[in-house]
């Protein structure tokens, strides 16, 4: 199979699908309900770096599963075996029967159409983007970045409130401040009609918010609850604390004796 994302292309071999196509008369098909499960073995092997990547996957099917169709929830057979996953990208199940090479013209048109759908544009065979489509795409991206930034910051607030005595480092505070400033600047730029600047500031805000939430110092606290702290510190302080307790009891005993003699 061949995986292509927004930054680079890669080839992944020997990726087995969790669901095999089902034979029906002279064709094979995959149920639409099983399609999301096909992504898992592919996603785990992709070298994507951020959650914003759009993956365009060409999966080379075995020749024995030809011709391949996708069976929709309504029972219809979809001739073009391709599908979208909004949080992942697009997948084309490519029929390799009687082929010695990939038909790049066909695959490009299919993936281009799917890419436009993922970006919220009108699906067409043209690679051109109209000014209206560009405006809508940038507006949607700006709004998405701002909302994700706010949601991430709210999640960080809930996390801090749920862990008592949690210490927030200065670098995390600076990232949170940068995220809030980016959100405010994006809003101001939108009000001024500066869409490009708004998109830039919203992107910076989202990046700062996600960095603050996924900071290693915070993640370490999630796996170090109070009961584990007691389990670690008690064996360390017990050898020191036990003699102190014995000494304290001995002092109290001597004090009581001296008090009784005085009386």
């Amino acid at each position: 199979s061949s995986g292509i994302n927004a930054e680079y292309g890669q080839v992944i071999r020997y990726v087995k699908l969790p669901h095999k196509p089902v034979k029906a008369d002279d064709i094979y098909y995959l149920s639409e309900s099983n399609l999301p499960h096909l992504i898992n073995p592919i996603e785990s092997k992709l070298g994507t770096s951020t959650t914003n990547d759009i993956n365009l996957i060409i999966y080379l099917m075995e020749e024995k599963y030809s011709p391949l169709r996708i069976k929709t929830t309504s029972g219809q057979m979809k001739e073009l075996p391709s599908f979208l996953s909004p949080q992942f990208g697009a997948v084309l199940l490519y029929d390799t029967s009687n082929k010695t090479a990939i038909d790049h013209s066909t695959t490009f048109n299919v993936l281009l159409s799917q890419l436009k759908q993922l970006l919220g544009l009108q699906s067409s065979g043209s690679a051109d983007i109209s000014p209206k489509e560009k405006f809508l795409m940038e507006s949607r991206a700006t709004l998405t970045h701002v909302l994700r930034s706010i949601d991430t910051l709210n999640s960080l607030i809930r996390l801090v409130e749920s862990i008592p005595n949690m210490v927030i480092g200065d670098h995390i505070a600076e990232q949170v401040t940068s995220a809030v400033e980016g959100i405010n600047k994006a809003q101001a730029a939108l009000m001024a009609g500066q869409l490009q600047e708004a998109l830039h500031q919203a992107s910076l805000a989202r990046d700062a918010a996600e960095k603050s939430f996924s900071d290693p110092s915070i993640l370490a606290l999630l796996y170090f609850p109070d009961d584990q702290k007691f389990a670690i510190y008690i064996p360390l302080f017990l050898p020191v604390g036990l003699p102190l307790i014995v000494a304290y009891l001995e002092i109290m005993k001597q004090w009581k004796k001296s008090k009784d003699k005085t009386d």
Side-chain angles (χ1 to χ4, degrees):
S1 61
S2 173
I4 303 172
N5 65 22
E7 295 181 353
Y8 56 88
Q10 64 183 119
V11 176
I12 305 174
R13 302 184 186 278
Y14 311 117
V15 178
K16 294 183 179 180
L17 297 181
H19 296 279
K20 299 297 183 182
V22 178
K23 187 174 184 180
D25 297 329
D26 296 330
I27 66 171
Y28 291 86
Y29 71 87
L30 288 167
S31 298
E32 197 171 44
S33 58
N34 291 331
L35 295 180
H37 303 293
L38 304 183
I39 295 176
N40 294 336
I42 301 174
E43 187 175 20
S44 62
K45 295 180 180 294
L46 289 175
T48 53
S49 57
T50 69
T51 56
N52 299 326
D53 288 332
I54 295 179
N55 301 284
L56 303 177
I57 307 298
I58 303 173
Y59 189 91
L60 306 183
M61 297 296 298
E62 296 180 65
E63 291 187 21
K64 63 181 180 180
Y65 296 127
S66 178
L68 182 66
R69 302 287 186 269
I70 291 178
K71 187 176 182 180
T72 65
T73 53
S74 61
Q76 297 179 343
M77 292 294 182
K78 183 181 176 183
E79 278 199 32
L80 186 62
S82 63
F83 61 95
L84 300 176
S85 178
Q87 301 301 322
F88 176 76
V91 178
L92 170 62
L93 303 175
Y94 190 77
D95 187 353
T96 59
S97 62
N98 301 321
K99 295 182 178 69
T100 58
I102 297 177
D103 183 352
H104 293 287
S105 176
T106 301
T107 56
F108 175 80
N109 288 333
V110 173
L111 294 177
L112 175 62
S113 176
Q114 293 177 323
L115 177 61
K116 282 197 166 187
Q117 292 181 57
L118 290 169
L119 296 175
L121 306 177
Q122 292 183 352
S123 177
S124 66
S126 174
D128 296 331
I129 298 177
S130 66
K132 180 181 179 181
E133 289 179 325
K134 183 181 179 182
F135 173 80
L136 292 175
M137 184 173 61
E138 291 176 344
S139 300
R140 187 180 292 106
T142 302
L143 180 60
T144 299
H145 288 326
V146 169
L147 293 178
R148 289 287 178 87
S149 301
I150 295 174
D151 184 61
T152 302
L153 292 177
N154 285 331
S155 298
L156 179 60
I157 293 173
R158 291 192 295 268
L159 178 63
V160 172
E161 292 176 345
S162 66
I163 301 178
N165 303 321
M166 185 176 184
V167 179
I168 299 296
D170 292 339
H171 64 289
I172 298 179
E174 291 175 0
Q175 290 170 347
V176 172
T177 301
S178 297
V180 175
E181 290 178 351
I183 294 172
N184 292 332
K185 289 180 180 178
Q187 182 180 5
L190 283 175
M191 297 294 292
Q194 301 172 350
L195 185 55
Q196 291 284 343
E197 178 64 16
L199 177 58
H200 175 66
Q201 294 297 334
S203 179
L204 294 177
R206 180 176 178 178
D207 184 58
E210 291 179 348
K211 284 183 178 179
S212 65
F213 184 77
S214 59
D215 190 89
S217 62
I218 292 181
L219 296 177
L221 293 174
L222 298 179
Y223 299 98
F224 197 46
D226 291 337
D227 55 346
Q228 291 187 12
K229 292 179 183 178
F230 287 115
I232 292 174
Y233 291 130
I234 286 178
L236 295 177
F237 288 105
L238 192 59
V240 178
L242 191 58
L244 291 176
I245 295 174
V246 173
Y248 173 76
L249 293 176
E250 186 65 26
I251 292 173
M252 292 299 295
K253 184 178 179 180
Q254 295 295 333
W255 177 78
K256 188 175 181 182
K257 286 183 180 180
S258 62
K259 184 178 180 182
D260 291 341
K261 289 180 180 180
T262 303
D263 296 339

